[in-house]
């Protein structure tokens, strides 16, 4: 029981930290890093859950998340490069063009 | 079969006019003129053929299965009331084509497509006796009218067109809901799915439910009519529309609302309508007075004429719900005469605007010196509008008031004050625009023969309706008589 | 012969139609020919019919010509039909004949005017409407003629449309009379609703059978008809339009005042006399309205400086006499006075027109003077008309008819001393203001030189009318006998203190008093009049009377301004404010929600996070 409680708590804290990072950091590199933290927090929650019920599914999903995160990061970094090329800055707010 | 042609001729001619109009605008005008005249002649022949008697039933029918599994038929039928309104439709149709002969110079083909399709839609509304088909025709008139206002209108056309569309579309949806409710309730009661008018007439309904469905229909028609409180789309749409659009709006589209009341609200829900009648009559009388006061306050000539419609259609509403032989016939008579007199005023205002490029009465004045024939015609139609005896509008309004008096004396007195109020705006129209000193130095042409002909025909029509309305009254009298039957003792 | 009856209104109507459509392209001579000849033809036909009628009266003393059924709805089927009896015959002959003279006069008088054909078109239509009104067999057709004369008065008063003042006067005339017409229309609804017919003879018979004397229906119906009558006949409280109606060309005024329009109310009451007999309170009201109006208008006439306005007030006052006669049940006396009034009032206006034309459109009597030698035609005819108006005893027509009315006001059961006294005071006033005008205009020094002398088409009608104004009174006895076939004879009740001769003597004395006062104030020593008008009471009264007892002011504040105010305030339509408000509300909501779409990734992420938390919270706590 302890494992679950602390595991989920850790995952929750990590997720919240990641979210906070996404929300407060304007530099897109840090945004991407924070996103990674959130993904890993979710992955941790899956592993903890898998361990709790003795199922391999949690680990399978984590592997799936890892693969997806890799793909996401590659796309994200490609965008980052293009963004820097375009604006000479990594500020996300500065790149906002969608003004209502 | 003749009914089918009445609708198909304008539809097909519209497409032809569109195609032809790409290269030869004049061809589009002629195609439209010929098509509408053909329809007019066909309707006249129907009238002549059945002139003696037989008006009380559907004397000509056409019934094709359309979507049989849902009980939807392509069912057209005509009786005395539809016949007269069709005559009015094609009469005003011819005149609107003539009125836009020189006014419309852009996208002439597409203009006539829209014009003819509106006429087809209106003809469909007056002919359909299948509620689904009726709704279909009802919507068919809206879209081309939207285009007519939005493309060929005046300065504020987009606003007006959208306002018109939202008002009519929303109220149309209410009607669709009411039709569907009736459809399902009829099935629940009899086990038959049908949109057939004659069958739905005898649907047994719980009083509360009937009231709600009746209100659904009423609101849809009330917006079109327009009943006061729901009327505010009208001045904008009428003012911004091109001349032909205004003529068709005032002369015909408003009449579809009144027609709907007569054809559907009263016969389908006699008890609910009867209970609702005092409110409806009060709304009608309020409209008479409110419209007149509003018309009196306007400085825009076209807007003034537009508000007079609110006032006149108040007579129609009050007459319909006063629900006795005098008032009902007066209401129909008012519908027909209002179509002609107000249509003529719109044609005149349009002709004036085409020449002076303004509708502001402040910028006119003293035009009688410059354009005496046009001014004389305007005077005549203003007099018709204020209900001068001897002209058509008087017959209708007097009958309505006489019938209304029988039901509610107070409302009749207030409505009579509305006739007095009509004097205010009619005189204002004449004196502001045509009398007074000629200070602006207008150098404009008087009525050309084409316009003179249009005016002369309308003047003669109003005189005929005012002095010898018997043939017209006789034509719809049996229909109205049938309407009174469900309520003995009134 | 009677078959030709329909021609009497139809010929002028055809003339109006012809002139309205083709008049602007016709030469002036042709226009005048059409305009005058149609009325002449109409007058000839009516005189022929009159001769035939006198020679061989139709059975029952009345002839009905049905042309067609006008409206046919259920039990409501008024016809286009003409009804000829002694009453409508007398009216028809007088109206067409006087109108013919006025048209003849106009042919020269309006010669230089731009709207020559328009003028004659309106005038012809005016006569056609009036004759339709007189001959109508039912109240609906009468209403057609009734509104028709209202319309024509509007068109003719505003004939010189370029001047907004004329437009205002025309509008006022139409709207005020139409206010009366509204009452009359409601009266028609009431009559049809309870009697089931609008045929005049039918409805009178049914009213007798169904209503009974003093029934509330009869009172309401008669009161509503009276509303229409006071509007058209310019009686209290709707008299305000007539003095302003002077804005029209002078022949128009003559037509409105003498032959058409203002006498319509008198005719309506005489025509439907049964309804008024069934409603004694209303009949008393008719008498009171008449008596009050004749006094009020007489006082106002004393203070006017515009010659046409004096005549206008004198018309109101004289119609007041007719109402007084109707109110005391002296129906025939009212019609007799109508006839003499038609002669002398048309004459007065036509000779006033000669003066005004001769003095470059000068209307102010204080700028005139000494015209006795300058314009003898005008002087002698105006004098004849003025004497008839004032009631010069024994010689003039006006004396006989007015005297008859006064006698009935005394003698009839419905009459009273007060009504009689009001009439007598009215005679003093009439004689005073009439001779005030005559002395100021024709005697004294020449103040404005004469520039134009009238031609034959002007002189003939005024001479004919002058002769009729003198001798017309002798037609009284046969006329009254003739009218007995259509109208009940006046009842006689209290001879008492005063005999018929005594009453006549008092009338003659009243005339002399007025004449003497006029001589004192305006001929022998004009300074006296100025002195009276200058003292405080005099000047207040003068201003008050000059402004028609403040009626215009009252109506302006009571009705006109509020309506104008509402119309102005509500120009934008209050109801639309609701829909505009609705669309504004939607727009504001959109503006607020739009703020969230700011394009910032972090903002959206926060939104997603908060949204998920809220969603999870809702799901887990519900």
């Amino acid at each position: 029981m302890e494992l679950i409680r602390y595991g989920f708590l850790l995952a929750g804290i990590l997720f919240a930290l990641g979210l906070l990072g996404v929300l407060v950091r304007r530099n897109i590199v840090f945004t991407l890093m924070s996103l990674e933290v959130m993904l890993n927090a979710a992955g941790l929650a899956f592993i903890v859950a898998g361990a709790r019920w003795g199922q391999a599914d949690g680990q399978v999903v984590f592997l799936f998340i890892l693969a997806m995160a890799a793909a996401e990061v590659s796309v994200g970094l490609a965008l980052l490069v293009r963004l820097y090329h375009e604006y000479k800055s990594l500020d996300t707010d500065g790149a906002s063009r969608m003004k209502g | 079969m003749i009914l089918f042609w009445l609708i198909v001729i304008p539809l097909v001619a519209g497409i032809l006019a569109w195609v032809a109009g790409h290269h030869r605008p004049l061809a589009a005008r002629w195609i439209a003129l010929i098509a509408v005249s053909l329809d007019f002649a066909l309707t006249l022949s129907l009238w002549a053929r059945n002139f003696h008697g037989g008006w009380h039933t559907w004397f000509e029918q056409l019934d094709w299965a359309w979507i049989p599994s849902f009980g939807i038929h392509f069912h057209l039928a005509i009786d005395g009331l539809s016949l007269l309104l069709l005559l009015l439709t094609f009469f005003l149709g011819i005149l609107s084509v003539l009125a836009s002969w020189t006014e419309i110079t852009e996208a002439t083909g597409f203009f006539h497509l829209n014009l003819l399709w509106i006429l087809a839609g209106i003809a469909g509304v007056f002919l359909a006796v299948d509620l689904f088909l009726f709704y279909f025709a009802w919507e068919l008139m809206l879209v081309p009218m939207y285009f007519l206002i939005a493309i060929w209108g005046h300065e504020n056309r987009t606003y007006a067109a959208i306002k018109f569309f939202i008002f009519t579309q929303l109220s149309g949806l209410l009607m669709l809901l009411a039709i569907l409710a009736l459809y399902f309730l009829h099935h629940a009661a009899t086990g038959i799915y049908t949109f057939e008018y004659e069958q739905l007439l005898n649907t047994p309904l719980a009083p509360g439910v009937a009231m709600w469905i009746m209100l659904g229909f009423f609101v849809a028609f009330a917006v079109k009519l327009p009943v006061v409180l729901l009327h505010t789309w009208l001045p904008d749409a009428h003012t911004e529309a091109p001349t032909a659009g205004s003529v068709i709006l005032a002369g015909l589209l408003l009449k579809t609302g009144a027609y709907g009341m007569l054809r559907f609200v009263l016969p389908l829900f006699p008890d609910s309508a009867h209970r609702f009648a005092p409110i409806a009559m009060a709304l009608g009388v309020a409209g008479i007075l409110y419209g007149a006061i509003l018309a009196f306050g306007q400085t825009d000539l076209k807007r003034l004429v537009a508000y007079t419609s609110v006032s006149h259609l108040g007579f129609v509403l009050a007459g319909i719900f006063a629900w006795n032989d005098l008032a009902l016939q007066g209401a129909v008579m008012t519908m027909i005469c209002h179509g002609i007199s107000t249509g003529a005023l719109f044609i005149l205002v349009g002709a004036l605007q085409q020449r002076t490029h303004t509708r502001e009465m402040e910028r006119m004045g003293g035009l009688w010196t410059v354009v005496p024939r046009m001014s004389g015609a305007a005077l005549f139609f203003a007099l018709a509008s204020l209900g001068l005896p001897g002209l058509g509008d008087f017959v209708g309004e007097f009958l309505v008031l006489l019938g209304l008096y029988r039901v509610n004396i107070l409302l009749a007195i207030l409505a009579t004050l509305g006739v007095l109020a009509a004097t205010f705006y009619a005189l204002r129209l004449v004196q502001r625009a045509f009398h007074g000193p000629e200070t602006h130095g207008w150098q404009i042409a008087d009525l050309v023969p084409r316009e003179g002909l249009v005016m002369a025909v309308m003047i003669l029509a109003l005189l005929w309706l005012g002095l010898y309305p018997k043939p017209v009254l006789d034509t719809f009298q049996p229909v109205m008589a049938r309407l009174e039957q469900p309520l003995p003792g009134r | 012969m009677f078959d030709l009856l329909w021609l009497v209104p139809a010929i002028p109507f055809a003339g109006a139609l012809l002139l309205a459509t083709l008049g602007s392209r016709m030469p002036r001579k042709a226009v005048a020919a059409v305009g005058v000849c149609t009325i002449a033809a109409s007058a000839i036909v009516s005189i022929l019919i009159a001769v035939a009628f006198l020679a061989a009266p139709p059975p029952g003393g009345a002839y009905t010509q049905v042309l067609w059924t006008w409206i046919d709805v259920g039990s409501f089927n008024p016809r286009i039909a003409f009804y000829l009896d002694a009453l409508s015959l007398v009216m028809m002959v007088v109206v067409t004949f006087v109108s013919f003279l006025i048209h003849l006069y106009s042919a020269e008088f309006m010669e230089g005017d731009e709207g020559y054909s328009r003028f004659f078109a309106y005038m012809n239509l005016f006569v056609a409407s009036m004759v339709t009104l007189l001959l109508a067999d039912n109240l609906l057709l009468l209403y057609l003629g009734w509104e028709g004369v209202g319309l024509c008065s509007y068109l003719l008063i505003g004939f010189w449309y370029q001047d907004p003042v004329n437009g205002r006067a025309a509008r006022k005339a139409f709207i005020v009379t139409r206010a009366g017409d509204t009452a009359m229309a409601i009266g028609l609804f009431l009559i049809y609703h309870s009697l089931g017919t609008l045929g005049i003879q039918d409805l009178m018979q049914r009213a007798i059978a169904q209503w009974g004397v003093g029934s509330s229906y009869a009172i309401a119906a008669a009161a509503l008809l009276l509303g229409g009558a006071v509007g058209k006949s310019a009686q209290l409280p709707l008299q305000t339009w007539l003095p302003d109606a002077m804005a029209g060309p002078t022949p128009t005024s003559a037509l409105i005042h003498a032959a058409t329009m203002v006498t319509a109310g008198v005719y309506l009451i005489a025509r439907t006399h049964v309804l008024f007999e069934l409603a004694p309170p209303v009949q008393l009201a008719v008498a009171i309205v008449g008596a009050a109006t004749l006094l009020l208008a007489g006082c106002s006439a004393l203070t006017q400086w515009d010659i046409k306005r004096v005549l206008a007030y004198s018309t109101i006052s004289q119609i007041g006499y007719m109402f007084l006669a109707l109110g005391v049940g002296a129906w025939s006396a009212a019609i007799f006075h109508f006839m003499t009034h038609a002669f002398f009032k048309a004459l007065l206006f036509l000779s006033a027109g000669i003066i005004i034309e001769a003095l470059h459109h000068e209307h102010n009597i204080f700028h005139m003077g000494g015209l006795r030698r300058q314009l003898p035609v005008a002087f002698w005819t105006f004098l004849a008309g003025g004497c008839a108006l004032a009631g010069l005893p024994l010689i003039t027509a006006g004396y006989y008819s007015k005297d008859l009315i006064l006698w009935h006001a005394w003698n009839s059961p419905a009459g009273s001393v007060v009504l009689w006294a009001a009439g007598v005071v009215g005679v003093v006033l009439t004689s005073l203001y009439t001779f005030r005008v005559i002395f100021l205009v024709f005697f004294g020094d020449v103040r404005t030189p004469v520039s134009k002398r009238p031609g034959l088409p002007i002189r003939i009608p005024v001479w004919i009318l002058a002769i009729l104004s003198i001798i017309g009174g002798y037609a009284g006895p046969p006329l009254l006998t003739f009218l007995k076939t259509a109208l009940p004879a006046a009842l006689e009740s209290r001879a008492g203190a005063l005999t018929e001769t005594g009453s006549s003597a008092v009338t003659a004395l009243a005339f002399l008093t007025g004449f003497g006062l006029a001589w004192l104030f305006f001929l022998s020593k004009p300074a006296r009049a100025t002195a009276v008008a200058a003292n405080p009471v005099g000047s207040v009264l003068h201003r008050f009377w000059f402004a028609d007892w403040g009626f215009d002011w009252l109506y302006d504040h009571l009705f006109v301004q509020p309506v104008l105010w509402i119309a102005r305030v509500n120009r934008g339509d209050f109801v639309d404010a609701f829909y505009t408000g609705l669309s504004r509300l939607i727009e504001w909501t959109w503006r607020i929600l739009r703020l969230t779409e700011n394009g910032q990734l972090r903002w959206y992420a926060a939104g997603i996070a908060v949204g998920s938390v809220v969603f999870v919270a809702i799901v887990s706590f519900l």
Side-chain angles (χ1 to χ4, degrees):
Chain A
M1 260 353 247
E2 294 298 297
L3 172 76
I4 302 229
R5 181 175 295 167
Y6 290 121
F8 276 154
L9 193 63
L10 177 64
I13 291 170
L14 277 176
F15 188 86
L17 281 172
L19 180 62
L20 203 66
V22 170
L23 296 186
V24 298
R25 298 308 296 254
R26 288 163 57 174
N27 190 312
I28 197 164
V29 179
F30 284 93
T31 311
L32 280 174
M33 284 166 69
S34 304
L35 273 177
E36 284 307 303
V37 173
M38 288 167 72
L39 281 172
N40 282 304
L44 181 63
F46 273 112
I47 289 171
V48 170
R52 165 64 181 79
W53 281 288
Q55 299 277 343
D57 298 10
Q59 292 167 21
V60 172
V61 173
F62 181 66
L63 283 176
F64 185 68
I65 289 177
L66 272 185
M68 200 206 68
E72 179 243 311
V73 163
S74 60
V75 173
L77 288 177
L79 280 173
L80 185 147
V81 171
R82 284 305 307 160
L83 199 69
Y84 186 76
H85 193 73
E86 196 78 17
Y87 293 101
K88 301 285 176 248
S89 133
L90 289 174
D91 187 347
T92 47
D93 286 1
S96 164
R97 271 182 164 180
M98 206 159 85
K99 290 280 186 202
Chain B
M1 201 57 194
I2 196 166
L3 303 182
F4 177 70
W5 290 118
L6 284 180
I7 295 181
V8 166
I9 289 173
L11 285 179
V12 173
I15 294 170
L16 284 180
W18 188 26
V19 174
H22 277 304
H23 306 291
R24 304 275 305 276
L26 197 63
R29 297 184 209 284
W30 276 109
I31 290 172
L33 188 62
I34 291 167
V36 186
S37 309
L38 202 61
D39 264 4
F40 186 63
L42 281 178
T43 322
L44 266 185
S45 77
L46 264 181
W47 198 21
R49 202 191 313 158
N50 297 282
F51 197 74
H52 297 289
W55 300 116
H56 55 288
T57 48
W58 311 107
F59 58 83
E60 187 87 31
Q61 293 215 32
L62 174 81
D63 192 357
W64 291 339
W66 186 5
I67 311 177
S69 49
F70 294 128
I72 297 173
H73 285 243
F74 188 86
H75 189 175
L76 305 173
I78 187 167
D79 65 358
L81 177 64
S82 322
L83 177 83
L84 282 175
L85 289 171
L86 278 179
L87 271 180
L88 181 71
T89 304
F90 298 125
F91 180 66
L92 289 180
I94 295 172
L95 300 181
S96 356
V97 173
L98 288 175
S100 28
W101 206 262
T102 55
E103 183 187 296
I104 303 300
T105 48
E106 279 169 44
T108 318
F110 190 50
F111 176 84
H112 286 94
L113 169 77
N114 282 311
L115 193 68
L116 289 166
W117 279 40
I118 298 171
L119 291 177
I122 294 170
V125 164
F126 290 146
L127 286 172
V129 282
D130 180 289
L131 262 66
F132 188 87
L133 181 63
F134 177 78
Y135 181 76
F136 183 80
W138 185 265
E139 295 292 313
L140 178 64
M141 17 178 234
L142 294 192
V143 182
M145 185 46 95
Y146 170 81
F147 284 130
L148 216 57
I149 302 172
I151 300 178
W152 294 274
H154 305 308
E155 18 350 297
N156 208 4
R157 54 179 179 260
T158 319
Y159 170 76
I162 291 175
K163 198 170 177 181
F164 164 75
F165 198 77
I166 291 177
F167 267 86
T168 42
Q169 188 66 19
L170 278 180
S171 61
L173 280 177
L174 267 182
M175 181 170 74
L176 181 64
L177 284 180
I179 291 177
L180 290 177
L182 192 64
Y183 174 71
F184 288 117
L185 285 173
H186 183 78
H187 174 250
T190 63
I192 304 166
Y193 279 121
T194 181
F195 282 102
E196 197 62 36
Y197 173 70
E198 292 283 344
Q199 291 185 33
L200 291 174
L201 270 185
N202 303 312
T203 311
L205 292 170
V209 181
M211 182 58 100
W212 282 108
I213 303 179
M214 193 273 304
L215 281 178
F217 276 99
F218 179 82
V219 170
F221 299 137
V223 167
K224 263 291 166 45
L225 195 54
V227 172
V228 73
L229 300 183
L230 299 172
H231 67 271
T232 67
W233 63 271
L234 177 138
D236 289 310
H238 282 55
T239 311
E240 299 303 331
T243 302
S246 308
V247 171
I248 290 176
L249 269 172
L252 302 172
L253 239 58
L254 308 189
K255 307 307 178 296
T256 59
Y259 174 82
M261 300 258 183
L262 285 168
R263 182 68 83 210
F264 298 105
V265 174
L266 299 197
L268 285 173
F269 318 98
D271 297 320
S272 316
H274 189 192
R275 271 190 292 146
F276 187 66
I279 299 175
M281 282 190 287
L283 280 172
V285 173
I288 295 172
L289 292 170
Y290 192 67
I293 290 288
L294 272 169
F296 179 58
Q298 303 307 313
T299 56
D300 181 324
L301 199 54
K302 211 167 174 185
R303 223 177 160 78
L304 190 160
V305 180
Y307 274 116
T308 66
S309 294
V310 179
S311 187
H312 284 123
L313 271 293
F315 280 101
V316 175
L317 182 68
I320 291 172
F321 278 89
W323 212 331
N324 51 47
D325 51 351
L326 292 170
L328 281 170
Q329 302 220 37
V332 179
M333 196 67 197
T334 308
M335 281 159 70
I336 294 169
C337 299
H338 169 264
I340 298 175
S341 63
T342 308
L345 278 175
F346 274 123
I347 291 176
L348 275 170
V349 174
L352 205 56
Q353 184 182 9
Q354 205 189 338
R355 289 160 164 82
T356 60
H357 305 287
T358 182
R359 298 188 308 263
E360 276 300 312
M361 288 194 284
E362 307 296 331
R363 300 203 48 221
M364 300 175 185
L367 286 179
W368 198 298
T369 326
V370 190
V371 283
R373 281 199 293 281
M374 194 187 258
S375 312
L379 175 68
F380 181 89
F381 292 112
L383 293 175
S385 184
L386 68 75
L388 190 80
L391 306 180
D393 293 59
F394 170 76
V395 176
E397 284 171 13
F398 194 84
L399 285 174
V400 167
L401 291 171
L402 214 51
L404 192 58
Y405 188 89
R406 209 184 268 177
V407 184
N408 189 324
I409 294 176
L410 179 69
L411 284 179
I413 291 173
L414 288 174
T416 316
L417 286 180
V419 180
L420 175 64
T423 323
F424 302 166
Y425 63 67
L427 294 193
R428 187 181 159 90
L429 187 159
V430 173
Q431 296 201 318
R432 279 294 169 90
F434 299 103
H435 288 168
E438 211 285 295
T439 50
H440 299 282
W442 292 113
Q443 296 287 331
I444 52 178
D446 207 345
L447 295 176
V448 298
R450 170 179 54 82
E451 294 165 321
L453 181 74
V454 169
M455 288 297 119
V457 169
M458 294 182 112
I459 286 173
L460 286 179
L462 276 182
L463 274 173
W464 170 58
L465 287 170
L467 290 173
Y468 189 59
K470 200 169 161 0
V472 173
L473 287 168
D474 284 352
T475 305
F476 60 73
Q477 193 270 335
V479 185
M480 297 295 121
R482 189 183 170 204
L483 209 52
E484 291 162 57
Q485 275 165 2
L487 282 175
R490 272 170 62 91
Chain C
M1 198 68 230
F2 295 142
D3 299 345
L4 300 179
L5 187 58
W6 65 277
L7 284 175
V8 181
I11 296 173
F13 186 72
L17 215 59
L18 183 67
L19 290 171
T21 47
L22 301 174
S24 54
R25 286 177 214 154
M26 279 155 66
R28 279 178 176 251
K29 285 252 167 10
V31 168
V34 171
V36 178
C37 291
T38 47
I39 305 295
S42 181
I44 290 168
V45 172
S46 42
I47 288 168
L48 286 177
I49 289 174
V51 170
F53 195 98
L54 288 172
Y63 169 78
T64 308
Q65 182 176 37
V66 181
L67 296 181
W68 69 84
T69 302
W70 184 3
I71 301 171
D72 190 8
V73 178
S75 58
F76 181 68
N77 24 37
R79 306 168 296 183
I80 301 273
F82 298 129
Y83 177 83
L84 187 75
D85 65 352
L87 174 61
S88 47
L89 182 74
V90 170
M91 297 285 290
M92 175 178 83
V93 171
V94 174
V95 165
T96 48
F97 183 66
V98 174
S99 303
F100 159 66
L101 295 178
I102 294 170
H103 274 75
L104 184 60
Y105 176 95
S106 316
E108 182 186 326
F109 191 84
M110 297 298 289
E111 213 165 29
D113 203 277
E114 247 183 293
Y116 200 55
S117 65
R118 195 161 55 92
F119 179 79
F120 275 107
Y122 292 166
M123 293 282 272
N124 278 10
L125 189 62
F126 210 157
V127 178
S129 306
M130 188 65 193
V131 175
T132 311
L133 189 163
L134 297 176
L135 292 176
D137 137 279
N138 59 70
L139 284 179
L140 198 66
L141 185 60
L142 187 144
Y143 191 72
L144 186 149
W146 190 267
E147 293 283 300
V149 293
L151 164 72
C152 294
S153 69
Y154 163 77
L155 295 172
L156 283 165
I157 294 166
F159 179 73
W160 288 312
Y161 56 83
Q162 298 231 346
D163 187 351
V165 175
N166 299 346
R168 204 173 306 133
R171 200 162 60 221
K172 185 172 168 188
F174 201 28
I175 289 174
V176 171
T177 54
R178 229 171 178 240
D181 299 352
T182 308
M184 181 173 159
I186 297 169
L188 298 196
F189 306 150
L190 190 150
I191 289 171
Y192 176 71
H193 183 57
S194 49
L195 297 179
T197 179
L198 285 179
I200 294 171
Q201 305 306 317
D202 291 349
L203 79 86
M204 292 203 294
Q205 276 163 15
R206 290 190 202 180
I208 293 171
Q210 287 182 25
W211 285 351
V213 177
S215 90
S216 52
Y217 276 117
I219 291 177
L224 288 165
L225 290 186
L226 175 62
V230 294
K232 273 290 179 281
S233 287
Q235 297 292 293
L236 278 178
L238 295 179
Q239 84 285 25
T240 58
W241 65 270
L242 192 63
D244 289 349
M246 294 302 106
T250 305
T252 306
S253 311
L255 198 60
I256 290 178
H257 288 250
T260 59
M261 187 88 179
V262 293
T263 50
V266 178
Y267 175 74
L268 175 69
I269 295 178
R271 184 82 280 176
T272 57
H273 59 93
V274 169
L275 294 181
F276 288 84
E277 283 164 348
L278 290 177
V282 181
Q283 209 186 348
L284 180 66
V286 174
I288 293 173
V289 163
T293 310
L294 75 90
L295 288 178
L296 257 58
C299 292
S300 293
L302 274 180
T303 57
Q304 306 299 323
W305 50 258
D306 182 332
I307 187 169
K308 284 176 76 180
R309 277 183 93 89
V310 177
L311 293 178
Y313 279 108
S314 81
T315 303
I316 300 178
S317 171
Q318 295 307 305
I319 306 275
Y321 277 104
M322 297 181 211
F323 268 61
L324 178 60
L326 296 170
V328 299
W331 313 106
S332 310
I335 301 304
F336 181 31
H337 194 55
F338 151 76
M339 187 186 84
T340 57
H341 177 256
F343 296 146
F344 65 71
K345 191 49 61 69
L347 171 62
L348 284 171
F349 269 110
L350 296 186
S351 26
I354 297 176
I355 300 168
I356 291 167
E357 274 297 290
L359 302 183
H360 299 287
H361 300 280
E362 177 60 71
H363 284 230
N364 192 338
I365 48 176
F366 292 102
H367 296 171
M368 300 172 182
L371 291 178
R372 186 163 35 120
R373 297 191 194 290
Q374 305 282 320
L375 273 178
V377 187
F379 172 63
W380 289 111
T381 54
F382 200 92
L383 188 66
C387 289
L389 169 64
L392 177 66
L394 301 180
I395 299 172
T396 58
Y399 170 74
Y400 288 100
S401 53
K402 214 181 281 181
D403 176 48
L404 191 66
I405 290 172
L406 286 175
W407 169 239
H408 284 300
W410 172 273
N411 187 34
S412 143
S416 71
V417 183
V418 181
L419 294 176
W420 175 80
V424 172
V425 175
V427 174
V428 179
L429 288 171
T430 311
S431 150
L432 179 55
Y433 67 68
T434 308
F435 285 100
R436 168 175 174 260
V437 171
I438 291 176
F439 292 150
L440 285 173
V441 171
F442 295 104
F443 293 83
D445 307 324
V446 177
R447 296 193 183 86
T448 313
V450 169
S451 66
K452 192 174 163 191
R453 280 169 219 286
L456 216 51
I458 284 186
R459 288 205 305 264
I460 294 173
V462 291
W463 281 119
I464 295 177
L465 284 169
I467 294 164
L468 286 174
S469 302
I470 303 296
I471 62 161
Y474 305 116
L479 180 80
L480 295 173
T481 326
F482 178 54
L483 281 173
K484 279 208 181 100
T485 59
L487 294 168
L491 298 172
E492 317 233 335
S493 70
R494 62 169 128 176
L498 197 67
T499 60
E500 190 162 359
T501 335
S503 173
S504 305
V506 173
T507 313
L509 206 65
F511 165 81
L512 288 176
T513 315
F515 177 79
L517 285 174
W519 185 80
L520 273 179
F521 281 117
F522 299 105
L523 195 60
S524 77
K525 240 194 186 163
R528 287 196 193 115
T530 330
V532 169
N535 87 37
V537 182
S539 75
V540 167
L541 270 186
H542 187 276
R543 249 181 308 169
F544 191 49
W545 286 351
F546 185 75
D548 192 16
W549 301 74
F551 275 101
D552 274 333
W553 182 87
L554 188 69
Y555 291 163
D556 190 49
H557 285 74
L558 216 54
F559 303 114
V560 181
Q561 296 301 337
V563 169
L564 287 177
W565 182 79
I566 290 176
R568 199 169 49 237
V569 167
N570 197 26
R571 184 168 292 165
D573 195 351
F574 287 133
V575 178
D576 199 33
F578 170 75
Y579 295 104
T580 317
L582 205 63
S583 68
R584 281 285 153 69
L585 193 70
I586 292 168
E587 197 184 328
W588 281 336
T589 321
W590 163 69
R591 272 184 203 290
I592 290 165
L593 289 178
R594 188 181 81 147
L595 292 177
T596 62
E597 301 241 331
N598 55 6
Q600 293 187 8
L601 194 60
R602 299 179 304 126
W603 177 257
Y604 295 159
I608 293 169
V610 172
S612 330
V613 169
V614 169
F615 182 71
V616 169
I618 288 173
V619 167
S620 46
F621 284 107
L622 287 179

